[in-house]
Every structure is written in C-alpha cells, then in structure tokens.
Amino acid sequence: MTDSMTRNFNNYPSTTKPEQHVSKQQMAAQDGYDNQGMLRSELDINGKPINGNTCINMDSLNKCVAINTKGETAAQLNEKQNYYNPYQHRDVKHPTSYFDTLIHLLKASLGTGILAMPSAFKNAGYVVGTLGTIIIGILCTYTIHLLITASYELCIKRKVPSLTYPGTVAAAFEEGPKFTRVLAPYARMMTNMFLVLYQLGSSCIYVVFIASNLKVVGDFYLGGNTDVRMYMVYLLIPLILISWVRNLKLLAPFSSIATCMTIVSFSLIFYYIFRESPSFVGREPVGTVNSIPLFFGTVLFAMEAIGMVLPLENEMKNPKKFGSVFGVLNASMLPISMLYTVVGLLGYLKYGENTKGSITLDMPQTEVF
C-alpha cells in the first residue's frame, strides 16, 4: 500500500516550477538591466531620469560608467557643440615660440626707463619707492591678465581668431550696455590715438637717449663738438629700416642681442654701485607729497609695455602659454619688477640726492671710456 501511494504521489503533477538555468544577461535584467546592458530608470514627465544618472554596464570591463545628465539642458548641449575656440582658428604665417615671445616682452619692458629708477626713488624715498614699485608691478601684471582674458572672451563671442588692442576696446563697448554701444567707434579712435601718442613719446625718448650717448662717445674719440641733432639724423635711416620689419619671428634675434647688451650694461652699473657699499645715511625713507607723483609717473612709463601685449600673444604658436601660471607674462614681469626695484633702491642709496635723471650720468665717464 505504501509503494502504491508513493507511485501515485510521484505521478501527480507538481505545483512547483522546475529549476531553470539563468544566464548573466537574465540576472542583470532581473536586477534592473535590459538585454543591452542599459539600466532601466524611471522617467519624469519631461523624459529625464528621475535619479539623474544613466548607467551603462560594460561587461567586457566588468564595470559601470556613470554619465551625469542632471541639469544638462538642450541649450547647454548645443552651446558645447557650437563652442568656438579662437586659438584653433588662428592662421599665423610665422608664429613665435615661448622663448621668442619672452625675449620680446623682456625687451619691450626693459627700456631706458629703468635707468631713471634711482631718480624715481629719490622722489619717493627708499621705503615708498620699494613698496610702490612692487605694488605697481603686481597691478600691471594683473591688468594685463584682465586684458588677455577680455580679448579671449570677446573673440569667442565674435567668433574671430584674434583682436587688436583697439579692436578689443571697441568690441567691449559693443558687447556692453546699450548706452555704450554707440560709443564703440569713438572708443576705437581714442585708443588708437593714445597708443600712437604713447609709442611716439617712447620713440622720441629712445632716439634722444641713443643720440646723447653716441655724442659722448663720438666727441671723446673723434674730438670736436658735434650737434646731438646730427646723431639723430644718422639714426633715422636704420630706425626706419627696422620699423619696416613687421614679422616678430625675424625680430627675435635682434631682441636677443639687445637683451644680452642690456644685461652687460646692468653688470657695469652694478659694478660701480657696489664698488663702494651703498649707505642709508642721509637717505629719506619717504618723499614729499609734491614729488611722489613723479615717482609713479616714472615707474609706470618705465615698466608698462601694454601696447606690445596683444600683438605678442596673437603671434604665439601656443597662445595658452602666454597668460598661464608659468606663462610668458608671469615669467617676464616677475624678474622685471625685481630688477626695477633693485636698480632704483641701490642707485638711490649709492648717489642719494645727487642722483641725476639717468644713472649713467652718475657714473665716472673718464673711467667708462
């Protein structure tokens, strides 16, 4: 009887389902993945995932890559696709390297103005002069960074590869409030006018400085007393020929030679300064109210080379290296600011109230020649 009951029970259809082999894909589907490895997530009324993430199961790598889609609107995605990079659209025939641009900027900033720094410190005092020169150097560097950033952003908005200094000013007025847009043409004209006046004044100072020094050397070795204006005439032809060269790549060797000669001249200046130890005796820490403005005017003239910034940045092979942390601008303005401070301070401590307009006039000319 027991055997028959057992047979009847085995023949009775079972209510439980037989075990089936479940594949990895099916297990993933049961866990929320479909057969393509995509995570099925609930969607809101706008068709966006509620949890903000869409997960792709990469079986070959046994990992899941999360793609954040939270907050990404169609306008933002379209903006990314239509993003304009000015650096990728610049077509420069003879681009300059990092070193070439650095040499150009050093030469543009290290002019005859540095020779007047001891006289500037005489007007401000050695404490105000030291702090003032450092602060002006920081402000100049910061404002140049602002100029480069503004020009880059305006290039993106205008979808143009580069902008000149007047072009940047005009574009800023045109992209500004409504009441400034009508002033854009006048802003361009005023910027061009001030740049021409600035460059013209600087060029006149250079011509006078070179001619005066050539006169001293010529009168000493050739005898006589040649008018300094004749030396200016002699300089006219080579200066005109050099100004015709508009390719900064070709001017890089001349800038390198000029920088080397500047270093040699500074070495001679420091030699005469340290031949006798400079002293603080009889030196004023703070200048008078009437003389301190002369200090700021001299330092700003000597240190600033704003007219050369955008042309140099526009001609670079890799413009991103101009305004980066260790870029051309920071790499040049740091030594320039320190050199101006050292020359001004030591020159004033050496010659005191007898400091002349140029430190070269304070050195003994009989020993130089």
Side-chain angles (χ1 to χ4, degrees):
M1 179 178 181
T2 302
D3 294 338
S4 64
M5 292 176 63
T6 302
R7 287 192 298 270
N8 293 334
F9 177 79
N10 292 333
N11 294 330
Y12 189 80
S14 176
T15 58
T16 60
K17 296 180 180 181
E19 295 184 359
Q20 297 178 356
H21 177 71
V22 182
S23 64
K24 292 183 179 180
Q25 287 78 5
Q26 293 173 338
M27 291 178 63
Q30 293 175 3
D31 291 336
Y33 291 88
D34 58 16
N35 57 356
Q36 298 297 328
M38 299 297 296
L39 175 63
R40 299 193 306 270
S41 43
E42 297 181 7
L43 303 179
D44 58 13
I45 193 172
N46 296 321
K48 294 183 179 180
I50 294 178
N51 57 3
N53 292 324
T54 299
C55 192
I56 302 174
N57 183 22
M58 302 176 65
D59 293 332
S60 60
L61 299 177
N62 294 324
K63 65 180 181 180
C64 186
V65 180
I67 305 176
N68 185 15
T69 59
K70 186 180 294 185
E72 291 286 346
T73 63
Q76 291 174 337
L77 294 174
N78 186 35
E79 183 179 357
K80 288 183 177 180
Q81 293 176 356
N82 296 330
Y83 177 75
Y84 180 85
N85 189 350
Y87 296 154
Q88 296 179 354
H89 294 80
R90 290 185 181 177
D91 184 17
V92 182
K93 294 182 179 180
H94 304 283
T96 57
S97 63
Y98 179 96
F99 180 76
D100 294 338
T101 309
L102 179 64
I103 293 298
H104 282 309
L105 190 57
L106 286 173
K107 183 63 192 71
S109 299
L110 290 176
T112 57
I114 193 173
L115 301 177
M117 288 302 297
S119 177
F121 271 65
K122 181 183 70 173
N123 294 323
Y126 58 84
V127 174
V128 176
T130 301
L131 296 178
T133 305
I134 295 174
I135 293 174
I136 291 175
I138 295 174
L139 290 177
C140 288
T141 306
Y142 176 69
T143 53
I144 294 175
H145 276 291
L146 290 180
L147 175 62
I148 295 298
T149 304
S151 178
Y152 179 76
E153 294 296 332
L154 290 170
C155 286
I156 295 176
K157 289 185 176 182
R158 295 300 184 90
K159 295 186 182 301
V160 294
S162 62
L163 286 171
T164 61
Y165 197 168
T168 300
V169 175
F173 273 79
E174 291 174 355
E175 295 292 337
K178 291 184 178 179
F179 68 92
T180 64
R181 297 172 186 174
V182 296
L183 302 176
Y186 304 101
R188 181 190 297 270
M189 180 182 65
M190 293 294 293
T191 305
N192 276 320
M193 184 182 70
F194 283 118
L195 281 176
V196 170
L197 292 176
Y198 167 73
Q199 297 294 343
L200 181 62
S202 301
S203 299
C204 291
I205 293 174
Y206 278 111
V207 171
V208 172
F209 176 79
I210 297 173
S212 300
N213 284 272
L214 289 177
K215 172 180 168 54
V216 174
V217 177
D219 292 348
F220 182 84
Y221 284 104
L222 302 177
N225 187 16
T226 307
D227 192 345
V228 68
R229 290 174 295 184
M230 293 304 301
Y231 287 97
M232 296 181 185
V233 174
Y234 302 151
L235 291 171
L236 184 61
I237 296 178
L239 290 178
I240 291 176
L241 294 177
I242 292 177
S243 64
W244 283 353
V245 181
R246 302 177 60 87
N247 188 349
L248 294 177
K249 187 71 174 180
L250 298 178
L251 289 175
F254 296 98
S255 295
S256 301
I257 296 173
T259 303
C260 294
M261 297 179 67
T262 302
I263 294 174
V264 172
S265 63
F266 286 151
S267 302
L268 294 174
I269 291 172
F270 286 132
Y271 166 76
Y272 283 100
I273 288 177
F274 288 108
R275 190 167 63 172
E276 296 178 3
S277 300
S279 174
F280 287 90
V281 178
R283 310 299 185 252
E284 297 294 335
V286 180
T288 62
V289 178
N290 295 329
S291 61
I292 288 180
L294 296 175
F295 160 78
F296 286 105
T298 304
V299 177
L300 287 173
F301 160 75
M303 188 177 296
E304 192 61 76
I306 193 67
M308 289 292 296
V309 172
L310 286 180
L312 290 175
E313 193 264 351
N314 291 337
E315 293 290 329
M316 281 192 69
K317 183 178 181 180
N318 190 354
K320 293 182 179 180
K321 293 185 178 180
F322 189 90
S324 59
V325 178
F326 299 101
V328 173
L329 181 58
N330 293 339
S332 59
M333 291 303 294
L334 179 60
I336 287 171
S337 301
M338 298 304 298
L339 186 59
Y340 273 67
T341 304
V342 171
V343 171
L345 176 61
L346 295 179
Y348 173 60
L349 295 180
K350 172 67 176 179
Y351 300 106
E353 298 300 323
N354 296 323
T355 301
K356 298 181 176 61
S358 176
I359 193 174
T360 55
L361 301 176
D362 296 321
M363 294 186 297
Q365 297 184 7
T366 55
E367 294 186 15
V368 174
F369 302 113

